[in-house]
Short mmCIF file of all heavy atoms in Angstrom, two decimals:
data_model
loop_
_atom_site.label_atom_id
_atom_site.label_comp_id
_atom_site.label_asym_id
_atom_site.label_seq_id
_atom_site.Cartn_x
_atom_site.Cartn_y
_atom_site.Cartn_z
N LEU A 1422 56.64 170.08 63.36
CA LEU A 1422 57.81 169.28 63.10
C LEU A 1422 59.00 170.21 62.70
O LEU A 1422 58.86 171.11 61.99
CB LEU A 1422 57.55 168.32 61.95
CG LEU A 1422 56.43 167.32 62.08
CD1 LEU A 1422 56.10 166.65 60.78
CD2 LEU A 1422 56.78 166.30 63.12
N THR A 1423 60.15 169.80 63.24
CA THR A 1423 61.36 170.55 62.82
C THR A 1423 61.74 170.09 61.44
O THR A 1423 61.25 169.03 60.95
CB THR A 1423 62.52 170.29 63.74
OG1 THR A 1423 62.87 168.92 63.68
CG2 THR A 1423 62.20 170.67 65.24
N LEU A 1424 62.67 170.79 60.80
CA LEU A 1424 63.00 170.41 59.45
C LEU A 1424 63.57 168.96 59.35
O LEU A 1424 63.27 168.23 58.43
CB LEU A 1424 64.06 171.40 58.86
CG LEU A 1424 63.54 172.84 58.69
CD1 LEU A 1424 64.60 173.72 58.13
CD2 LEU A 1424 62.36 172.81 57.68
N GLU A 1425 64.37 168.59 60.34
CA GLU A 1425 64.90 167.25 60.35
C GLU A 1425 63.80 166.19 60.46
O GLU A 1425 63.77 165.20 59.77
CB GLU A 1425 65.86 167.01 61.50
CG GLU A 1425 67.15 167.87 61.41
CD GLU A 1425 67.82 167.81 62.74
OE1 GLU A 1425 67.15 167.80 63.84
OE2 GLU A 1425 69.04 167.83 62.78
N GLU A 1426 62.90 166.51 61.40
CA GLU A 1426 61.78 165.55 61.62
C GLU A 1426 60.91 165.41 60.34
O GLU A 1426 60.46 164.34 60.00
CB GLU A 1426 60.88 166.01 62.80
CG GLU A 1426 61.61 165.84 64.09
CD GLU A 1426 60.85 166.57 65.24
OE1 GLU A 1426 59.97 167.33 64.88
OE2 GLU A 1426 61.20 166.36 66.36
N ARG A 1427 60.75 166.53 59.64
CA ARG A 1427 59.99 166.52 58.42
C ARG A 1427 60.59 165.59 57.37
O ARG A 1427 59.90 164.72 56.79
CB ARG A 1427 59.89 167.92 57.82
CG ARG A 1427 58.94 168.81 58.47
CD ARG A 1427 58.93 170.10 57.72
NE ARG A 1427 58.39 171.14 58.58
CZ ARG A 1427 58.21 172.38 58.16
NH1 ARG A 1427 58.51 172.71 56.96
NH2 ARG A 1427 57.79 173.28 58.99
N ALA A 1428 61.90 165.80 57.20
CA ALA A 1428 62.57 164.98 56.16
C ALA A 1428 62.47 163.54 56.48
O ALA A 1428 62.12 162.71 55.58
CB ALA A 1428 64.02 165.42 56.10
N GLU A 1429 62.66 163.14 57.76
CA GLU A 1429 62.56 161.77 58.12
C GLU A 1429 61.15 161.20 57.92
O GLU A 1429 60.98 160.12 57.44
CB GLU A 1429 62.88 161.61 59.61
CG GLU A 1429 64.30 161.21 59.89
CD GLU A 1429 64.50 160.95 61.34
OE1 GLU A 1429 63.77 160.10 61.89
OE2 GLU A 1429 65.36 161.58 61.91
N PHE A 1430 60.21 162.03 58.36
CA PHE A 1430 58.82 161.57 58.26
C PHE A 1430 58.42 161.37 56.81
O PHE A 1430 57.78 160.34 56.50
CB PHE A 1430 57.92 162.66 58.92
CG PHE A 1430 56.50 162.29 59.15
CD1 PHE A 1430 56.10 160.99 59.49
CD2 PHE A 1430 55.45 163.22 59.06
CE1 PHE A 1430 54.81 160.61 59.70
CE2 PHE A 1430 54.15 162.90 59.28
CZ PHE A 1430 53.81 161.53 59.60
N LYS A 1431 58.83 162.33 55.95
CA LYS A 1431 58.52 162.20 54.52
C LYS A 1431 59.02 160.82 53.99
O LYS A 1431 58.39 160.11 53.26
CB LYS A 1431 59.21 163.31 53.72
CG LYS A 1431 58.39 164.52 53.59
CD LYS A 1431 58.98 165.40 52.55
CE LYS A 1431 58.43 166.81 52.62
NZ LYS A 1431 58.87 167.60 51.46
N GLN A 1432 60.31 160.60 54.37
CA GLN A 1432 60.95 159.37 53.83
C GLN A 1432 60.19 158.15 54.33
O GLN A 1432 59.93 157.22 53.49
CB GLN A 1432 62.36 159.28 54.37
CG GLN A 1432 63.36 159.87 53.46
CD GLN A 1432 64.80 159.67 53.97
OE1 GLN A 1432 65.00 158.89 54.88
NE2 GLN A 1432 65.69 160.40 53.47
N ARG A 1433 59.83 158.21 55.56
CA ARG A 1433 59.13 156.99 56.13
C ARG A 1433 57.83 156.84 55.44
O ARG A 1433 57.38 155.70 55.14
CB ARG A 1433 58.93 157.17 57.60
CG ARG A 1433 59.80 156.16 58.39
CD ARG A 1433 59.62 156.32 59.83
NE ARG A 1433 60.57 157.30 60.35
CZ ARG A 1433 60.76 157.46 61.68
NH1 ARG A 1433 60.05 156.79 62.52
NH2 ARG A 1433 61.65 158.31 62.07
N ILE A 1434 57.11 157.92 55.19
CA ILE A 1434 55.81 157.79 54.49
C ILE A 1434 55.98 157.26 53.16
O ILE A 1434 55.23 156.37 52.68
CB ILE A 1434 55.14 159.19 54.45
CG1 ILE A 1434 54.71 159.65 55.79
CG2 ILE A 1434 53.94 159.20 53.51
CD1 ILE A 1434 54.05 161.01 55.82
N GLN A 1435 56.97 157.74 52.42
CA GLN A 1435 57.21 157.22 51.03
C GLN A 1435 57.52 155.78 51.11
O GLN A 1435 56.98 154.97 50.22
CB GLN A 1435 58.31 158.01 50.38
CG GLN A 1435 57.83 159.38 49.88
CD GLN A 1435 58.99 160.31 49.54
OE1 GLN A 1435 60.11 160.06 49.90
NE2 GLN A 1435 58.64 161.39 48.91
N ARG A 1436 58.28 155.32 52.08
CA ARG A 1436 58.62 153.94 52.20
C ARG A 1436 57.39 153.12 52.51
O ARG A 1436 57.11 152.09 51.88
CB ARG A 1436 59.61 153.71 53.36
CG ARG A 1436 61.03 153.76 52.90
CD ARG A 1436 61.91 152.92 53.83
NE ARG A 1436 61.66 153.13 55.24
CZ ARG A 1436 62.40 153.90 56.01
NH1 ARG A 1436 63.37 154.56 55.50
NH2 ARG A 1436 62.09 154.05 57.30
N ASP A 1437 56.59 153.59 53.44
CA ASP A 1437 55.33 152.93 53.81
C ASP A 1437 54.41 152.72 52.55
O ASP A 1437 53.84 151.67 52.32
CB ASP A 1437 54.57 153.68 54.86
CG ASP A 1437 55.11 153.35 56.25
OD1 ASP A 1437 55.85 152.38 56.33
OD2 ASP A 1437 54.73 154.05 57.21
N LEU A 1438 54.24 153.83 51.85
CA LEU A 1438 53.38 153.76 50.67
C LEU A 1438 53.85 152.75 49.67
O LEU A 1438 53.11 151.92 49.15
CB LEU A 1438 53.26 155.16 50.03
CG LEU A 1438 52.51 156.23 50.82
CD1 LEU A 1438 52.59 157.55 50.14
CD2 LEU A 1438 51.06 155.84 50.98
N LYS A 1439 55.14 152.75 49.47
CA LYS A 1439 55.72 151.80 48.54
C LYS A 1439 55.56 150.39 49.02
O LYS A 1439 55.13 149.50 48.31
CB LYS A 1439 57.23 152.06 48.36
CG LYS A 1439 57.70 152.08 46.96
CD LYS A 1439 59.15 152.36 46.86
CE LYS A 1439 59.45 152.64 45.38
NZ LYS A 1439 60.76 153.16 45.21
N ALA A 1440 55.79 150.18 50.29
CA ALA A 1440 55.68 148.82 50.88
C ALA A 1440 54.26 148.30 50.70
O ALA A 1440 54.08 147.11 50.59
CB ALA A 1440 56.10 148.89 52.37
N HIS A 1441 53.27 149.16 50.82
CA HIS A 1441 51.90 148.69 50.72
C HIS A 1441 51.33 148.82 49.28
O HIS A 1441 50.20 148.65 49.08
CB HIS A 1441 51.02 149.48 51.67
CG HIS A 1441 51.18 149.07 53.06
ND1 HIS A 1441 52.20 149.64 53.88
CD2 HIS A 1441 50.60 148.11 53.87
CE1 HIS A 1441 52.14 149.05 55.07
NE2 HIS A 1441 51.19 148.17 55.04
N ALA A 1442 52.25 149.16 48.34
CA ALA A 1442 51.85 149.29 46.93
C ALA A 1442 50.66 150.27 46.76
O ALA A 1442 49.77 150.00 45.99
CB ALA A 1442 51.47 147.93 46.38
N ILE A 1443 50.79 151.43 47.45
CA ILE A 1443 49.73 152.42 47.28
C ILE A 1443 50.31 153.44 46.33
O ILE A 1443 51.38 154.02 46.63
CB ILE A 1443 49.41 153.10 48.60
CG1 ILE A 1443 48.87 152.04 49.55
CG2 ILE A 1443 48.38 154.20 48.37
CD1 ILE A 1443 48.65 152.63 50.93
N SER A 1444 49.74 153.66 45.20
CA SER A 1444 50.30 154.59 44.26
C SER A 1444 49.62 155.92 44.33
O SER A 1444 48.43 156.07 44.04
CB SER A 1444 50.29 154.02 42.82
OG SER A 1444 49.03 154.15 42.28
N VAL A 1445 50.40 156.93 44.82
CA VAL A 1445 49.81 158.22 44.90
C VAL A 1445 50.26 159.08 43.72
O VAL A 1445 51.18 158.75 43.00
CB VAL A 1445 50.23 158.94 46.22
CG1 VAL A 1445 49.68 158.16 47.39
CG2 VAL A 1445 51.72 159.00 46.31
N TYR A 1446 49.61 160.25 43.58
CA TYR A 1446 49.92 161.11 42.45
C TYR A 1446 51.27 161.77 42.70
O TYR A 1446 51.56 162.19 43.77
CB TYR A 1446 48.84 162.15 42.30
CG TYR A 1446 49.02 163.01 41.08
CD1 TYR A 1446 48.64 162.60 39.80
CD2 TYR A 1446 49.64 164.27 41.21
CE1 TYR A 1446 48.88 163.34 38.73
CE2 TYR A 1446 49.89 165.02 40.08
CZ TYR A 1446 49.54 164.56 38.89
OH TYR A 1446 49.74 165.31 37.79
N PRO A 1447 52.17 162.00 41.77
CA PRO A 1447 52.04 161.45 40.39
C PRO A 1447 52.50 159.96 40.36
O PRO A 1447 53.47 159.60 40.95
CB PRO A 1447 53.01 162.29 39.59
CG PRO A 1447 53.92 162.94 40.62
CD PRO A 1447 53.35 162.81 41.96
N GLN A 1448 51.65 159.18 39.75
CA GLN A 1448 51.94 157.77 39.70
C GLN A 1448 53.13 157.50 38.85
O GLN A 1448 53.35 158.12 37.82
CB GLN A 1448 50.75 156.97 39.18
CG GLN A 1448 49.49 157.07 39.99
CD GLN A 1448 48.64 158.24 39.67
OE1 GLN A 1448 49.07 159.16 39.13
NE2 GLN A 1448 47.34 158.13 40.00
N GLU A 1449 53.91 156.51 39.26
CA GLU A 1449 55.14 156.25 38.53
C GLU A 1449 54.95 155.78 37.07
O GLU A 1449 55.70 156.10 36.21
CB GLU A 1449 55.91 155.11 39.29
CG GLU A 1449 56.95 155.72 40.17
CD GLU A 1449 57.60 154.68 41.03
OE1 GLU A 1449 57.27 153.48 40.86
OE2 GLU A 1449 58.43 154.99 41.85
N ASP A 1450 53.84 155.02 36.90
CA ASP A 1450 53.69 154.47 35.52
C ASP A 1450 53.42 155.52 34.50
O ASP A 1450 53.76 155.37 33.31
CB ASP A 1450 52.52 153.50 35.53
CG ASP A 1450 52.26 152.89 36.87
OD1 ASP A 1450 53.24 152.56 37.53
OD2 ASP A 1450 51.07 152.76 37.24
N PHE A 1451 52.88 156.69 34.95
CA PHE A 1451 52.58 157.71 33.96
C PHE A 1451 53.66 158.79 33.94
O PHE A 1451 53.48 159.81 33.34
CB PHE A 1451 51.20 158.31 34.17
CG PHE A 1451 50.19 157.32 34.64
CD1 PHE A 1451 49.43 157.59 35.76
CD2 PHE A 1451 49.99 156.15 33.94
CE1 PHE A 1451 48.48 156.69 36.19
CE2 PHE A 1451 49.02 155.25 34.34
CZ PHE A 1451 48.28 155.50 35.46
N ASP A 1452 54.75 158.54 34.63
CA ASP A 1452 55.71 159.58 34.80
C ASP A 1452 56.65 159.65 33.64
O ASP A 1452 57.46 158.74 33.41
CB ASP A 1452 56.53 159.24 36.09
CG ASP A 1452 56.85 160.54 36.81
OD1 ASP A 1452 56.34 161.58 36.39
OD2 ASP A 1452 57.57 160.45 37.82
N GLU A 1453 56.55 160.66 32.88
CA GLU A 1453 57.49 160.84 31.74
C GLU A 1453 58.65 161.69 32.17
O GLU A 1453 59.78 161.47 31.75
CB GLU A 1453 56.73 161.42 30.52
CG GLU A 1453 55.92 160.39 29.81
CD GLU A 1453 54.79 161.07 29.09
OE1 GLU A 1453 54.77 162.29 29.01
OE2 GLU A 1453 53.89 160.29 28.65
N ASP A 1454 58.31 162.74 32.91
CA ASP A 1454 59.32 163.64 33.31
C ASP A 1454 59.77 163.36 34.74
O ASP A 1454 58.96 163.58 35.66
CB ASP A 1454 58.83 165.08 33.15
CG ASP A 1454 59.83 166.10 33.47
OD1 ASP A 1454 60.95 165.75 33.88
OD2 ASP A 1454 59.54 167.31 33.32
N PRO A 1455 60.98 162.85 34.97
CA PRO A 1455 61.35 162.46 36.33
C PRO A 1455 61.35 163.61 37.32
O PRO A 1455 61.23 163.37 38.51
CB PRO A 1455 62.78 161.89 36.18
CG PRO A 1455 63.25 162.31 34.85
CD PRO A 1455 62.07 162.56 34.02
N ASP A 1456 61.46 164.84 36.81
CA ASP A 1456 61.48 166.01 37.74
C ASP A 1456 60.09 166.19 38.36
O ASP A 1456 59.97 166.94 39.35
CB ASP A 1456 61.88 167.27 36.98
CG ASP A 1456 63.27 167.18 36.51
OD1 ASP A 1456 64.06 166.44 37.18
OD2 ASP A 1456 63.62 167.76 35.50
N ASP A 1457 59.07 165.58 37.73
CA ASP A 1457 57.76 165.79 38.24
C ASP A 1457 57.49 165.07 39.57
O ASP A 1457 56.44 165.19 40.14
CB ASP A 1457 56.74 165.35 37.23
CG ASP A 1457 56.49 166.43 36.20
OD1 ASP A 1457 57.04 167.53 36.41
OD2 ASP A 1457 55.82 166.14 35.21
#
Side-chain angles (χ1 to χ4, degrees):
Chain A
L1422 300 168
T1423 62
L1424 292 180
E1425 292 165 328
E1426 290 167 348
R1427 282 184 201 182
E1429 262 187 57
F1430 192 33
K1431 274 197 197 189
Q1432 268 184 14
R1433 249 179 269 191
I1434 289 181
Q1435 280 164 348
R1436 267 206 315 261
D1437 276 348
L1438 290 175
K1439 224 177 192 171
H1441 286 88
I1443 300 174
S1444 79
V1445 295
Y1446 185 80
Q1448 295 90 337
E1449 264 172 2
D1450 335 319
F1451 320 129
D1452 219 5
E1453 281 153 11
D1454 186 353
D1456 293 333
D1457 278 351

